């Protein structure tokens, strides 16, 4: 895989053109918080080009402390004016709970297997109990999780009330962005 990535990078470098002239602040002045799922391409589903927007990705597209940190920097230092929280259907974060991942990690650090009975550990000890100290931000219901994350961002003490925060769900079967009205209402600018 390393050689494939490096080869692709060399092709990219040859066609880099005037991208070195892109300004540091995002040109379209918005940020997206979304999932790291490889099926999501924010540049395509949001019509982005390089330099247009900040895209913050993590497991589930959740409003973790680090994601909020990135959004605050995006606004305070780089001038974004609107934020989108975009979760998606068929997210892996729906397939386990905090308790499941904690147990798997305590058994071993080897990649688990997912079968009809859920995740199963196939590794050998030792594992680690460090997972006990992490809120894994798993998801029970996508619509609710979008609203929870928009609320967490909206009422964070470092987030100004005049930034609109929109809540959406990306459908992995159609590519459509579906608004979560409750989330967008919570995120309405004051």
């Amino acid at each position: 895989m390393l050689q494939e990535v490096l080869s692709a990078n060399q092709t990219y470098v040859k066609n880099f053109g005037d991208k070195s002239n892109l300004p540091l602040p995002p040109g379209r002045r918005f940020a997206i918080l979304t999932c790291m799922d490889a099926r999501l391409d924010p540049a395509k589903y949001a019509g982005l080009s390089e330099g247009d927007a900040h895209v913050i990705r993590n497991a589930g597209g959740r409003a973790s402390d680090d994601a909020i940190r990135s959004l605050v920097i995006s606004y305070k230092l780089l001038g974004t004016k609107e934020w989108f929280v975009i979760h998606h259907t068929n997210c892996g974060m729906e397939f386990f709970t905090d308790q499941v991942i904690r147990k798997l990690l305590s058994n071993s650090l080897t990649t688990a297997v997912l079968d009809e009975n859920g995740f199963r550990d196939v590794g050998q000890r030792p594992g680690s109990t460090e997972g006990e100290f992490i809120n894994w931000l798993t998801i029970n219901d996508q619509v609710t999780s979008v609203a929870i994350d928009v609320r967490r961002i909206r009422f964070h003490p470092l987030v100004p009330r005049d930034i609109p925060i929109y809540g959406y769900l990306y459908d992995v079967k159609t590519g459509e962005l579906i608004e979560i009205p409750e989330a967008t209402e919570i995120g309405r600018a004051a």
Side-chain angles (χ1 to χ4, degrees), residues 6-53:
L6 294 177
S7 175
N9 178 252
Q10 287 307 304
T11 301
Y12 181 73
V13 166
K14 289 176 187 170
N15 299 309
F16 199 68
D18 65 351
K19 291 182 183 121
S20 64
N21 296 322
L22 289 171
L24 182 61
R28 292 177 56 195
R29 302 282 190 217
F30 74 96
I32 296 173
L33 170 59
T34 196
C35 186
M36 65 186 194
D37 190 303
R39 296 171 293 177
L40 279 64
D41 187 341
K44 289 181 181 169
Y45 73 60
L48 302 177
S49 296
E50 288 161 304
D52 279 351

Side-chain angles (χ1 to χ4, degrees), residues 12-162:
Y12 181 73
V13 166
K14 289 176 187 170
N15 299 309
F16 199 68
D18 65 351
K19 291 182 183 121
S20 64
N21 296 322
L22 289 171
L24 182 61
R28 292 177 56 195
R29 302 282 190 217
F30 74 96
I32 296 173
L33 170 59
T34 196
C35 186
M36 65 186 194
D37 190 303
R39 296 171 293 177
L40 279 64
D41 187 341
K44 289 181 181 169
Y45 73 60
L48 302 177
S49 296
E50 288 161 304
D52 279 351
H54 287 151
V55 177
I56 300 151
R57 297 180 78 156
N58 67 28
R62 301 306 309 268
S64 64
D65 290 343
D66 190 59
I68 294 172
R69 168 189 157 271
S70 295
L71 288 167
V72 169
I73 291 168
S74 176
Y75 161 78
K76 184 69 175 175
L77 301 180
L78 297 164
T80 58
K81 307 282 187 213
E82 298 175 83
W83 297 342
F84 290 77
V85 174
I86 303 174
H87 293 193
H88 67 93
T89 59
N90 193 238
C91 182
M93 296 299 286
E94 296 174 283
F95 302 144
F96 64 96
T97 64
D98 283 15
Q99 294 75 20
V100 167
I101 192 162
R102 287 176 180 145
K103 183 176 182 209
L104 289 168
L105 288 167
S106 69
N107 288 333
S108 84
L109 299 180
T110 303
T111 301
V113 171
L114 177 62
D115 60 27
E116 63 278 351
N117 298 316
F119 284 99
R120 173 171 60 81
D121 194 31
V122 294
Q124 303 295 316
R125 289 192 176 274
S128 174
T129 58
E130 292 298 313
E132 296 292 327
F133 306 105
I134 295 175
N135 178 352
W136 294 96
L137 300 171
T138 57
I139 296 172
N140 286 333
D141 173 84
Q142 285 293 347
V143 171
T144 302
S145 70
V146 172
I148 287 169
D149 283 353
V150 170
R151 180 177 285 109
R152 186 158 193 260
I153 296 165
R154 165 53 65 224
F155 295 108
H156 193 281
L158 297 177
V159 174
R161 300 282 295 153
D162 63 344

Side-chain angles (χ1 to χ4, degrees), residues 170-186:
Y170 173 84
D171 186 327
V172 298
K173 298 292 185 199
T174 66
E176 182 181 8
L177 288 175
I178 303 161
E179 184 180 18
I180 307 301
E182 174 190 355
T184 297
E185 179 61 28
I186 293 165

